[in-house]
Amino acid sequence: MASSVLVNAGPAPAAISPTAELPVDRLGRPSRALRVSVTDRCNLRCVYCMPEDRYAWLPRAGILSFAEIDFLVERFCEIGVEKVRLTGGEPLLRRDLPDLVRLLSARRLRERSLTTNGILLADLAWPLRAAGLDRVTVSLDTLRRDRFRALTREDRLARVLTGVEAAASAGFSGLKLDTVVLRGVNDDELFDLVDFGKELGAEVRFIEYMEVGGATRWSMDQVVSRSEMLERFRRRFGEVRPLPGRGAATAERFELPGGTTFGIIASTTAPFCRACDRSRLTADGVWYPCLHARVGTDLRRRLRGGATAEELRAVLASRWRDRTDRGAEERLAGGVLTPPVLRAELAADPRLEMHTRGG
Ligand code: SAM
Ligand code: SF4
Ligand code: SF4
Protein backbone atom coordinates (compact mmCIF):
# COMPACT_ATOMS: atom_id res chain seq x y z
CA MET A 1 0.00 0.00 0.00
CA ALA A 2 1.44 3.38 -0.97
CA SER A 3 2.02 5.80 1.85
CA SER A 4 -0.21 8.43 0.27
CA VAL A 5 -3.18 6.07 0.56
CA LEU A 6 -2.74 6.05 4.30
CA VAL A 7 -2.74 9.78 4.72
CA ASN A 8 -6.01 11.65 5.01
CA ALA A 9 -5.57 14.80 2.97
CA GLY A 10 -9.27 15.68 2.65
CA PRO A 11 -10.67 19.20 2.50
CA ALA A 12 -10.39 21.44 5.53
CA PRO A 13 -13.54 21.63 7.66
CA ALA A 14 -15.13 24.97 8.54
CA ALA A 15 -13.00 27.14 10.79
CA ILE A 16 -13.73 27.26 14.51
CA SER A 17 -13.08 30.16 16.80
CA PRO A 18 -10.12 29.97 19.20
CA THR A 19 -12.53 30.57 22.05
CA ALA A 20 -14.79 27.64 21.05
CA GLU A 21 -15.09 24.79 23.52
CA LEU A 22 -12.17 22.36 23.50
CA PRO A 23 -13.03 19.30 21.44
CA VAL A 24 -13.54 15.85 22.90
CA ASP A 25 -13.56 12.73 20.76
CA ARG A 26 -16.50 10.39 20.24
CA LEU A 27 -15.66 8.53 23.43
CA GLY A 28 -15.53 11.77 25.43
CA ARG A 29 -11.74 11.90 25.60
CA PRO A 30 -10.01 15.29 25.47
CA SER A 31 -6.81 15.95 23.49
CA ARG A 32 -4.24 16.71 26.18
CA ALA A 33 -0.99 15.03 25.18
CA LEU A 34 1.03 15.08 21.97
CA ARG A 35 4.07 12.99 21.11
CA VAL A 36 6.24 14.69 18.57
CA SER A 37 8.71 12.53 16.69
CA VAL A 38 11.58 14.79 15.64
CA THR A 39 13.40 12.19 13.55
CA ASP A 40 12.85 8.66 12.29
CA ARG A 41 16.60 7.90 12.47
CA CYS A 42 18.08 5.95 15.35
CA ASN A 43 21.53 5.01 16.63
CA LEU A 44 20.32 1.66 18.05
CA ARG A 45 18.51 -1.26 16.51
CA CYS A 46 16.43 -2.68 19.37
CA VAL A 47 15.13 -6.14 18.58
CA TYR A 48 11.56 -5.24 19.59
CA CYS A 49 11.46 -2.03 17.53
CA MET A 50 13.91 -2.10 14.60
CA PRO A 51 14.93 -5.73 14.04
CA GLU A 52 15.29 -5.54 10.27
CA ASP A 53 18.50 -4.91 8.34
CA ARG A 54 17.08 -2.23 6.09
CA TYR A 55 14.53 0.53 6.51
CA ALA A 56 12.81 3.07 4.27
CA TRP A 57 13.55 6.52 5.71
CA LEU A 58 11.39 9.61 5.49
CA PRO A 59 12.74 11.99 2.81
CA ARG A 60 14.73 14.77 4.48
CA ALA A 61 12.94 17.55 2.62
CA GLY A 62 9.73 16.51 4.33
CA ILE A 63 11.06 16.72 7.88
CA LEU A 64 9.43 19.58 9.78
CA SER A 65 11.66 22.46 10.85
CA PHE A 66 11.62 23.54 14.50
CA ALA A 67 9.59 26.62 13.52
CA GLU A 68 7.02 24.38 11.81
CA ILE A 69 6.81 22.05 14.82
CA ASP A 70 6.41 25.02 17.13
CA PHE A 71 3.66 26.50 14.95
CA LEU A 72 1.78 23.20 14.96
CA VAL A 73 2.24 22.74 18.70
CA GLU A 74 0.66 26.13 19.21
CA ARG A 75 -2.36 24.91 17.24
CA PHE A 76 -2.49 21.73 19.31
CA CYS A 77 -2.47 23.86 22.47
CA GLU A 78 -5.54 25.60 21.08
CA ILE A 79 -7.45 22.29 21.04
CA GLY A 80 -6.39 21.44 24.59
CA VAL A 81 -2.92 19.91 24.45
CA GLU A 82 -1.00 20.59 27.66
CA LYS A 83 1.84 18.11 27.45
CA VAL A 84 4.33 17.53 24.65
CA ARG A 85 6.76 14.63 24.59
CA LEU A 86 9.65 14.69 22.13
CA THR A 87 10.51 11.29 20.77
CA GLY A 88 11.61 9.49 17.62
CA GLY A 89 13.53 7.49 16.37
CA GLU A 90 16.20 8.79 18.66
CA PRO A 91 15.29 12.44 19.33
CA LEU A 92 18.80 13.42 20.47
CA LEU A 93 20.06 12.73 16.95
CA ARG A 94 18.17 15.82 15.85
CA ARG A 95 20.70 18.59 15.78
CA ASP A 96 20.22 21.51 18.19
CA LEU A 97 17.26 19.94 19.96
CA PRO A 98 17.54 22.41 22.88
CA ASP A 99 16.53 25.13 20.40
CA LEU A 100 13.20 23.38 19.87
CA VAL A 101 12.73 22.98 23.61
CA ARG A 102 13.38 26.69 24.01
CA LEU A 103 10.67 27.49 21.48
CA LEU A 104 8.23 25.15 23.21
CA SER A 105 9.02 26.76 26.56
CA ALA A 106 7.19 29.83 25.36
CA ARG A 107 4.03 27.82 24.66
CA ARG A 108 1.15 27.35 27.09
CA LEU A 109 2.21 23.86 28.07
CA ARG A 110 2.14 22.25 31.48
CA GLU A 111 4.95 19.87 30.58
CA ARG A 112 7.69 19.31 28.00
CA SER A 113 9.28 15.89 28.18
CA LEU A 114 11.60 13.66 26.22
CA THR A 115 11.95 9.93 25.63
CA THR A 116 15.49 8.91 24.67
CA ASN A 117 17.72 5.88 24.51
CA GLY A 118 20.26 7.95 26.48
CA ILE A 119 23.30 7.48 24.25
CA LEU A 120 23.74 11.20 23.62
CA LEU A 121 22.27 12.35 26.91
CA ALA A 122 25.48 12.94 28.86
CA ASP A 123 26.26 16.03 26.78
CA LEU A 124 22.69 17.17 26.31
CA ALA A 125 21.01 16.74 29.70
CA TRP A 126 22.11 20.13 31.04
CA PRO A 127 21.46 22.14 27.85
CA LEU A 128 18.01 20.57 27.58
CA ARG A 129 17.22 21.36 31.20
CA ALA A 130 18.44 24.93 30.73
CA ALA A 131 16.23 25.24 27.65
CA GLY A 132 13.16 24.36 29.72
CA LEU A 133 12.71 20.59 29.38
CA ASP A 134 10.75 19.36 32.43
CA ARG A 135 11.03 15.57 32.36
CA VAL A 136 13.15 12.85 30.83
CA THR A 137 12.45 9.18 30.28
CA VAL A 138 15.40 6.99 29.38
CA SER A 139 14.78 3.59 27.83
CA LEU A 140 16.92 1.06 29.65
CA ASP A 141 16.17 -2.62 29.20
CA THR A 142 19.14 -4.17 30.95
CA LEU A 143 22.08 -3.43 33.22
CA ARG A 144 24.23 -6.10 31.60
CA ARG A 145 26.60 -5.21 28.86
CA ASP A 146 26.28 -8.45 26.86
CA ARG A 147 22.50 -8.24 26.93
CA PHE A 148 22.48 -4.60 25.94
CA ARG A 149 24.56 -5.51 22.92
CA ALA A 150 22.25 -8.39 22.02
CA LEU A 151 19.11 -6.27 22.48
CA THR A 152 20.29 -3.16 20.63
CA ARG A 153 23.11 -4.45 18.41
CA GLU A 154 25.44 -1.78 19.84
CA ASP A 155 27.95 -2.04 22.68
CA ARG A 156 26.93 1.24 24.34
CA LEU A 157 25.50 0.47 27.75
CA ALA A 158 28.24 2.45 29.54
CA ARG A 159 27.38 5.52 27.48
CA VAL A 160 23.69 5.18 28.34
CA LEU A 161 24.44 4.84 32.04
CA THR A 162 26.56 8.00 31.93
CA GLY A 163 23.62 9.72 30.24
CA VAL A 164 21.20 8.51 32.92
CA GLU A 165 23.50 9.87 35.63
CA ALA A 166 23.76 13.23 33.87
CA ALA A 167 19.95 13.39 33.68
CA ALA A 168 19.67 12.50 37.35
CA SER A 169 21.92 15.40 38.31
CA ALA A 170 20.49 17.97 35.88
CA GLY A 171 17.41 18.66 38.02
CA PHE A 172 14.52 17.43 35.89
CA SER A 173 11.27 17.26 37.79
CA GLY A 174 10.86 13.63 36.93
CA LEU A 175 13.32 11.01 35.68
CA LYS A 176 11.94 7.70 34.53
CA LEU A 177 13.51 4.54 33.19
CA ASP A 178 11.41 2.53 30.73
CA THR A 179 12.10 -1.16 30.31
CA VAL A 180 10.50 -3.37 27.69
CA VAL A 181 10.29 -6.78 29.31
CA LEU A 182 10.99 -9.77 27.08
CA ARG A 183 10.63 -13.29 28.38
CA GLY A 184 13.90 -15.16 28.47
CA VAL A 185 15.84 -12.01 27.60
CA ASN A 186 15.69 -9.51 30.50
CA ASP A 187 12.78 -10.62 32.68
CA ASP A 188 15.18 -11.72 35.43
CA GLU A 189 16.30 -8.10 35.93
CA LEU A 190 13.08 -6.56 37.27
CA PHE A 191 14.33 -6.20 40.84
CA ASP A 192 17.84 -5.09 39.81
CA LEU A 193 16.38 -2.34 37.63
CA VAL A 194 14.08 -1.12 40.41
CA ASP A 195 17.09 -0.97 42.77
CA PHE A 196 19.15 0.86 40.17
CA GLY A 197 16.37 3.41 39.68
CA LYS A 198 15.91 3.88 43.41
CA GLU A 199 19.57 4.78 43.87
CA LEU A 200 19.29 7.46 41.19
CA GLY A 201 15.91 8.79 42.27
CA ALA A 202 14.31 7.48 39.07
CA GLU A 203 11.11 5.48 38.77
CA VAL A 204 11.27 2.36 36.61
CA ARG A 205 8.33 1.46 34.40
CA PHE A 206 8.03 -1.97 32.91
CA ILE A 207 6.44 -2.05 29.47
CA GLU A 208 4.74 -5.15 28.13
CA TYR A 209 6.19 -6.11 24.77
CA MET A 210 3.73 -4.68 22.24
CA GLU A 211 2.75 -5.87 18.85
CA VAL A 212 3.19 -2.53 17.12
CA GLY A 213 4.30 -1.60 13.63
CA GLY A 214 7.96 -2.47 13.45
CA ALA A 215 7.84 -5.27 16.01
CA THR A 216 8.23 -7.89 13.32
CA ARG A 217 9.69 -10.43 15.76
CA TRP A 218 6.84 -10.08 18.27
CA SER A 219 5.20 -13.19 19.70
CA MET A 220 2.87 -13.60 22.66
CA ASP A 221 5.31 -16.16 24.12
CA GLN A 222 7.76 -13.33 24.75
CA VAL A 223 5.27 -11.07 26.52
CA VAL A 224 5.58 -10.99 30.30
CA SER A 225 2.17 -9.79 31.40
CA ARG A 226 1.32 -7.20 34.03
CA SER A 227 -0.16 -9.89 36.26
CA GLU A 228 2.93 -12.07 35.98
CA MET A 229 5.21 -9.15 36.82
CA LEU A 230 3.06 -8.23 39.83
CA GLU A 231 3.07 -11.83 41.00
CA ARG A 232 6.87 -11.88 40.85
CA PHE A 233 7.05 -8.71 42.94
CA ARG A 234 4.53 -10.11 45.42
CA ARG A 235 6.51 -13.30 45.83
CA ARG A 236 9.67 -11.34 46.48
CA PHE A 237 8.39 -8.43 48.59
CA GLY A 238 5.16 -9.74 50.11
CA GLU A 239 2.97 -6.77 49.40
CA VAL A 240 2.58 -4.63 46.29
CA ARG A 241 0.28 -1.67 46.85
CA PRO A 242 -1.41 -0.04 43.84
CA LEU A 243 -1.14 3.76 43.98
CA PRO A 244 -4.23 5.82 43.20
CA GLY A 245 -4.54 8.74 40.78
CA ARG A 246 -3.60 7.23 37.44
CA GLY A 247 -5.81 9.54 35.36
CA ALA A 248 -4.89 9.23 31.68
CA ALA A 249 -1.31 8.11 32.41
CA THR A 250 0.03 5.13 30.49
CA ALA A 251 1.56 3.55 33.59
CA GLU A 252 -0.12 2.09 36.65
CA ARG A 253 2.04 2.76 39.68
CA PHE A 254 2.77 0.45 42.59
CA GLU A 255 4.54 0.76 45.91
CA LEU A 256 6.67 -1.84 47.61
CA PRO A 257 7.12 -2.16 51.36
CA GLY A 258 9.68 0.52 52.26
CA GLY A 259 8.24 3.03 49.82
CA THR A 260 9.98 2.17 46.53
CA THR A 261 7.64 2.72 43.61
CA PHE A 262 7.55 1.34 40.08
CA GLY A 263 5.15 1.37 37.15
CA ILE A 264 3.72 -1.07 34.65
CA ILE A 265 2.53 -0.14 31.17
CA ALA A 266 0.27 -3.03 30.24
CA SER A 267 -0.52 -2.04 26.66
CA THR A 268 -0.80 -5.65 25.53
CA THR A 269 -2.82 -7.45 28.21
CA ALA A 270 -4.63 -4.58 29.99
CA PRO A 271 -4.75 -1.58 27.66
CA PHE A 272 -6.03 1.80 28.79
CA CYS A 273 -7.55 3.24 25.61
CA ARG A 274 -10.73 4.45 27.33
CA ALA A 275 -8.76 7.23 29.00
CA CYS A 276 -6.31 7.89 26.18
CA ASP A 277 -5.76 11.58 25.46
CA ARG A 278 -2.61 11.09 23.36
CA SER A 279 -1.90 11.52 19.69
CA ARG A 280 1.26 11.45 17.62
CA LEU A 281 2.94 13.66 15.07
CA THR A 282 5.57 12.13 12.78
CA ALA A 283 8.77 13.98 11.96
CA ASP A 284 7.31 14.78 8.53
CA GLY A 285 4.11 16.22 9.90
CA VAL A 286 1.53 13.45 9.69
CA TRP A 287 -0.77 13.31 12.72
CA TYR A 288 -2.04 9.97 14.03
CA PRO A 289 -4.84 9.69 16.59
CA CYS A 290 -3.55 6.37 17.97
CA LEU A 291 -0.37 4.32 18.09
CA HIS A 292 -2.12 1.73 15.93
CA ALA A 293 -3.92 4.10 13.55
CA ARG A 294 -3.48 3.30 9.86
CA VAL A 295 -4.65 6.67 8.57
CA GLY A 296 -3.06 9.96 9.51
CA THR A 297 -3.75 13.60 8.73
CA ASP A 298 -1.13 15.33 6.63
CA LEU A 299 -0.53 18.60 8.47
CA ARG A 300 2.70 19.42 6.64
CA ARG A 301 0.96 19.55 3.28
CA ARG A 302 -1.54 21.99 4.69
CA LEU A 303 1.10 24.01 6.52
CA ARG A 304 3.38 24.34 3.52
CA GLY A 305 0.36 24.92 1.30
CA GLY A 306 -0.35 28.13 3.21
CA ALA A 307 -3.12 27.07 5.61
CA THR A 308 -3.76 29.71 8.24
CA ALA A 309 -3.49 29.07 11.97
CA GLU A 310 -7.25 29.05 12.20
CA GLU A 311 -7.65 26.57 9.36
CA LEU A 312 -5.15 24.22 10.95
CA ARG A 313 -6.80 24.51 14.33
CA ALA A 314 -10.13 23.67 12.68
CA VAL A 315 -8.65 20.56 11.06
CA LEU A 316 -7.28 19.38 14.41
CA ALA A 317 -10.53 20.04 16.24
CA SER A 318 -12.63 18.34 13.59
CA ARG A 319 -10.41 15.24 13.35
CA TRP A 320 -10.24 14.95 17.11
CA ARG A 321 -14.04 15.10 17.39
CA ASP A 322 -14.23 12.18 14.92
CA ARG A 323 -11.72 10.06 16.84
CA THR A 324 -12.93 6.61 17.89
CA ASP A 325 -9.55 4.85 18.17
CA ARG A 326 -9.03 2.14 20.76
CA GLY A 327 -6.28 0.28 18.94
CA ALA A 328 -4.88 -1.83 21.77
CA GLU A 329 -8.29 -2.64 23.27
CA GLU A 330 -9.61 -3.75 19.92
CA ARG A 331 -6.66 -6.07 19.44
CA LEU A 332 -7.27 -7.60 22.83
CA ALA A 333 -11.04 -7.88 22.31
CA GLY A 334 -10.36 -9.74 19.06
CA GLY A 335 -9.38 -12.66 21.27
CA VAL A 336 -6.24 -13.49 19.38
CA LEU A 337 -3.59 -10.87 18.92
CA THR A 338 -2.99 -10.37 15.22
CA PRO A 339 0.46 -10.98 13.74
CA PRO A 340 2.66 -7.93 13.29
CA VAL A 341 2.06 -5.64 10.38
CA LEU A 342 3.56 -7.31 7.37
CA ARG A 343 7.09 -6.35 6.46
CA ALA A 344 6.01 -5.46 2.95
CA GLU A 345 3.50 -2.95 4.26
CA LEU A 346 6.09 -1.43 6.55
CA ALA A 347 8.45 -1.04 3.65
CA ALA A 348 5.71 0.71 1.65
CA ASP A 349 4.73 3.07 4.46
CA PRO A 350 7.50 3.90 6.93
CA ARG A 351 4.99 5.85 9.04
CA LEU A 352 3.56 2.57 10.30
CA GLU A 353 6.86 1.96 12.09
CA MET A 354 7.09 2.59 15.83
CA HIS A 355 10.39 4.40 15.31
CA THR A 356 8.69 6.78 12.86
CA ARG A 357 5.51 7.66 14.67
CA GLY A 358 7.18 7.83 18.06
CA GLY A 359 6.72 5.39 20.93
N1 SAM B 1 14.55 6.05 20.79
C1 SAM B 1 13.89 6.51 21.94
C2 SAM B 1 13.87 5.47 23.02
O1 SAM B 1 14.13 4.31 22.73
O2 SAM B 1 13.57 5.84 24.14
C3 SAM B 1 12.50 7.04 21.69
C4 SAM B 1 11.64 6.31 20.70
S1 SAM B 1 11.19 4.65 21.15
C5 SAM B 1 10.20 4.16 19.78
C6 SAM B 1 10.03 4.99 22.44
C7 SAM B 1 9.70 3.83 23.35
O3 SAM B 1 9.04 2.83 22.62
C8 SAM B 1 10.90 3.19 24.00
O4 SAM B 1 10.76 3.22 25.40
C9 SAM B 1 10.84 1.78 23.50
O5 SAM B 1 11.30 0.89 24.46
C10 SAM B 1 9.37 1.60 23.20
N2 SAM B 1 9.10 0.51 22.28
C11 SAM B 1 9.54 0.36 21.03
N3 SAM B 1 9.08 -0.79 20.48
C12 SAM B 1 8.32 -1.39 21.44
C13 SAM B 1 7.57 -2.60 21.50
N4 SAM B 1 7.51 -3.44 20.48
N5 SAM B 1 6.91 -2.88 22.65
C14 SAM B 1 6.96 -2.03 23.70
N6 SAM B 1 7.63 -0.87 23.69
C15 SAM B 1 8.32 -0.55 22.58
FE1 SF4 C 1 15.40 1.33 20.26
FE2 SF4 C 1 14.16 3.71 20.53
FE3 SF4 C 1 15.75 3.24 18.47
FE4 SF4 C 1 13.40 1.97 18.65
S1 SF4 C 1 13.68 4.15 18.37
S2 SF4 C 1 15.40 1.10 18.03
S3 SF4 C 1 13.27 1.70 20.87
S4 SF4 C 1 16.36 3.27 20.62
FE1 SF4 D 1 -4.31 5.40 23.02
FE2 SF4 D 1 -4.33 3.98 20.78
FE3 SF4 D 1 -2.59 3.39 22.72
FE4 SF4 D 1 -5.22 2.88 23.02
S1 SF4 D 1 -3.81 1.95 21.54
S2 SF4 D 1 -3.85 3.82 24.55
S3 SF4 D 1 -6.12 4.62 21.95
S4 SF4 D 1 -2.65 5.29 21.52
Side-chain angles (χ1 to χ4, degrees):
M1 204 181 307
S3 65
S4 56
V5 177
L6 296 170
V7 172
N8 185 334
I16 59 159
S17 123
T19 53
E21 231 173 78
L22 296 177
V24 291
D25 72 9
R26 291 207 188 173
L27 301 177
R29 300 169 296 187
S31 165
R32 295 235 172 85
L34 179 70
R35 298 193 178 187
V36 178
S37 171
V38 293
T39 178
D40 59 332
R41 311 304 204 264
C42 191
N43 43 10
L44 294 182
R45 290 289 181 271
C46 302
V47 291
Y48 49 76
C49 178
M50 299 185 75
E52 304 298 324
D53 294 330
R54 296 183 56 152
Y55 284 96
W57 305 109
L58 298 176
R60 285 192 188 272
I63 303 298
L64 298 181
S65 68
F66 287 167
E68 287 173 323
I69 293 174
D70 179 48
F71 185 78
L72 288 177
V73 165
E74 198 180 358
R75 310 287 76 78
F76 277 102
C77 291
E78 288 163 356
I79 67 155
V81 165
E82 304 171 334
K83 299 201 252 180
V84 166
R85 176 170 293 275
L86 302 177
T87 179
E90 174 44 41
L92 299 187
L93 285 177
R94 182 78 188 252
R95 193 182 305 218
D96 301 324
L97 195 67
D99 291 348
L100 175 61
V101 173
R102 211 165 288 113
L103 288 176
L104 298 182
S105 296
R107 298 287 156 232
R108 284 171 297 155
L109 290 166
R110 228 166 17 92
E111 192 179 293
R112 295 145 208 88
S113 57
L114 169 84
T115 300
T116 172
N117 63 28
I119 288 181
L120 300 172
L121 194 54
D123 292 337
L124 281 163
W126 287 90
L128 286 165
R129 179 71 194 118
L133 189 74
D134 301 299
R135 290 170 176 271
V136 171
T137 299
V138 183
S139 300
L140 180 67
D141 301 323
T142 178
L143 297 168
R144 303 193 193 175
R145 183 176 170 186
D146 55 330
R147 282 189 185 174
F148 186 92
R149 201 167 36 208
L151 271 163
T152 67
R153 289 184 271 172
E154 294 285 342
D155 186 11
R156 303 189 79 179
L157 176 62
R159 197 71 205 131
V160 174
L161 296 181
T162 312
V164 171
E165 277 161 24
S169 61
F172 293 105
S173 62
L175 175 63
K176 296 200 175 81
L177 301 176
D178 276 6
T179 302
V180 181
V181 183
L182 278 76
R183 187 179 306 283
V185 176
N186 64 346
D187 60 328
D188 57 351
E189 286 190 71
L190 305 188
F191 311 139
D192 291 349
L193 283 158
V194 167
D195 281 347
F196 176 78
K198 186 179 169 188
E199 271 169 38
L200 281 167
E203 188 166 280
V204 179
R205 303 179 321 166
F206 298 107
I207 307 177
E208 287 180 351
Y209 187 11
M210 285 188 279
E211 179 234 359
V212 280
T216 48
R217 307 282 157 90
W218 183 90
S219 80
M220 193 63 204
D221 300 347
Q222 274 202 294
V223 176
V224 181
S225 70
R226 164 191 184 277
S227 58
E228 185 176 341
M229 286 189 242
L230 285 175
E231 186 48 34
R232 291 190 195 188
F233 275 98
R234 273 193 208 103
R235 258 188 271 133
R236 168 76 173 255
F237 295 97
E239 197 199 347
V240 182
R241 197 169 71 85
L243 293 172
R246 178 182 186 184
T250 50
E252 286 171 90
R253 298 178 65 233
F254 300 91
E255 188 178 60
L256 298 170
T260 305
T261 58
F262 69 94
I264 296 183
I265 301 178
S267 321
T268 300
T269 69
F272 34 80
C273 303
R274 289 287 167 167
C276 177
D277 57 5
R278 281 175 301 286
S279 59
R280 291 174 161 78
L281 184 66
T282 62
D284 65 342
V286 179
W287 179 43
Y288 288 93
C290 173
L291 182 58
H292 298 281
R294 309 302 295 274
V295 178
T297 300
D298 188 348
L299 300 179
R300 184 196 65 205
R301 186 187 59 75
R302 292 177 165 90
L303 185 64
R304 294 189 181 170
T308 64
E310 186 158 336
E311 284 163 354
L312 281 164
R313 182 173 56 242
V315 169
L316 301 185
S318 159
R319 294 273 187 273
W320 190 265
R321 286 197 182 97
D322 283 346
R323 179 182 187 247
T324 55
D325 298 74
R326 298 187 301 116
E329 283 182 356
E330 278 164 2
R331 280 165 191 237
L332 192 60
V336 198
L337 291 158
T338 54
V341 180
L342 294 172
R343 286 185 182 82
E345 269 192 86
L346 289 168
D349 187 354
R351 295 188 197 91
L352 295 177
E353 297 274 1
M354 180 77 154
H355 71 268
T356 304
R357 62 177 51 184

